[in-house]
Amino acid sequence: MKIAAVQMVSTPDVARNLEAAGRWVAQAAAQGARLVALPEYFCLMGQRDDDKLAIAEADGDGPIQRFLADSARRHGLWLVGGTLPIRGTTPDHVRNACCVYGPTGERVARYDKIHLFAFDNGSEHYDEGRVLEAGEQPVAFDVEDEAGRLRVGLSICYDLRFPELYRALMQPACDLLVVPAAFTWTTGQAHWELLLRARAVENQCHVLASAQGGQHENGRRTWGHSMVIDPWGEVLAVQAEGEGVAAADAPLARRAAVRRQLPALAHRRL
């Protein structure tokens, strides 16, 4: 199956972001991708963290969710919808939710980001917990097409630093791990590729990482480097900076060969 990561440089304007996302999903589809992932916050990179509250949608209904369903149906593919804000249990917090849609436009999965990013190096300060409400459950779903059945595990950005989440997603084992993200320039430059390749190697599966990648209108700079990585840790495709698509084939045979040659998952004792 060919898979693709869409890289964006999202703005404070939802309509502009949806137009850009639609254009890049169409390009990925034209390249033959059957599963496409949008980045975290694809629909909004606001001027303030609490701008998310103003566009938060009810679970299962809203213009952003309809856009994702329509895009998946139009192109007949599996669409991992980056993240969008879905109303939380209190008015001043939202869930950072990754919603997945199948080729007929039906929603097949929703994962709420469990680990909320916080960082302060004296000049940069982030605290997602100020407006985000953490999720609780790991989520995986099954994809079926002519290439066979794939089990796909979901994660979001800061989750990448917590290998125990991915171990939970490997019961039963996933064939593909998807990571929509908006890594900062500072943390991404240091750790993004390192962590992605580690998750691929330790879980012996493909990793699809779709990122924000550039200078945003709100002043923030994100690292980008959206990637497709194989189960041996080889980077198959990368979109370094700016908008674009990183696409590559992710054959099940490659995953099976790596696990057969080096049965590390079967050797686990802890």
Side-chain angles (χ1 to χ4, degrees), residues 8-269:
M8 295 178 61
V9 186
S10 295
T11 76
D13 185 324
V14 173
R16 286 165 59 198
N17 297 331
L18 297 189
E19 186 280 329
R23 176 164 30 87
W24 290 113
V25 169
Q27 181 161 319
Q31 293 178 20
R34 296 286 298 126
L35 185 148
V36 178
L38 292 167
E40 185 181 29
Y41 300 134
F42 83 96
C43 56
L44 182 75
M45 288 288 280
Q47 298 291 353
R48 297 163 46 93
D49 285 346
D50 54 11
D51 287 350
K52 301 176 184 69
L53 303 178
I55 68 161
E57 298 185 352
D59 185 31
D61 183 54
I64 300 169
Q65 293 171 83
R66 287 194 294 272
F67 162 80
L68 292 169
D70 291 345
S71 296
R73 182 169 49 249
R74 180 179 307 114
H75 299 292
L77 49 72
W78 301 84
L79 181 58
V80 180
T83 69
L84 72 146
I86 289 182
R87 291 172 195 152
T89 58
T90 62
D92 57 349
H93 283 75
V94 296
R95 294 292 182 107
N96 194 19
C98 178
C99 297
V100 182
Y101 297 84
T104 62
E106 80 284 7
R107 193 174 83 178
V108 298
R110 171 186 163 183
Y111 166 67
D112 296 347
K113 187 178 186 179
I114 291 175
H115 302 98
L116 303 184
F117 179 55
F119 179 72
D120 189 345
N121 66 356
S123 58
E124 296 174 87
H125 174 75
Y126 303 94
D127 183 5
E128 288 187 325
R130 197 172 68 81
V131 296
L132 294 185
E133 182 178 278
E136 300 90 14
Q137 295 295 326
V139 174
F141 66 97
D142 291 326
V143 167
E144 292 189 53
D145 74 353
E146 62 276 7
R149 175 179 290 185
L150 283 78
R151 185 162 177 81
V152 182
L154 297 174
S155 60
I156 300 168
C157 200
Y158 191 50
D159 283 334
L160 190 58
R161 296 183 182 274
F162 300 89
E164 58 270 28
L165 171 63
Y166 297 91
R167 283 310 200 201
L169 287 169
M170 298 304 288
Q171 299 175 354
C174 290
D175 304 293
L176 172 67
L177 299 170
V178 184
V179 192
F183 257 56
T184 70
W185 175 268
T186 303
T187 58
Q189 189 174 33
H191 300 143
W192 171 247
E193 182 176 335
L194 171 69
L195 290 168
L196 287 171
R197 294 178 71 190
R199 299 295 86 88
V201 169
E202 71 194 8
N203 296 295
Q204 299 186 312
C205 60
H206 283 87
V207 170
L208 179 66
S210 49
Q212 296 282 349
Q215 187 70 49
H216 299 267
E217 292 178 14
N218 63 6
R220 181 173 173 179
R221 188 178 183 187
T222 46
W223 175 242
H225 292 77
S226 296
M227 293 183 180
V228 182
I229 302 171
D230 91 341
W232 197 247
E234 180 183 354
V235 177
L236 303 179
V238 61
Q239 172 70 27
E241 193 168 10
E243 294 191 341
V245 174
D249 289 319
L252 285 170
R254 174 60 170 159
R255 188 266 301 154
V258 168
R259 292 182 183 178
R260 183 176 62 253
Q261 294 163 10
L262 179 64
L265 291 175
H267 290 161
R268 291 172 57 208
R269 290 293 177 265

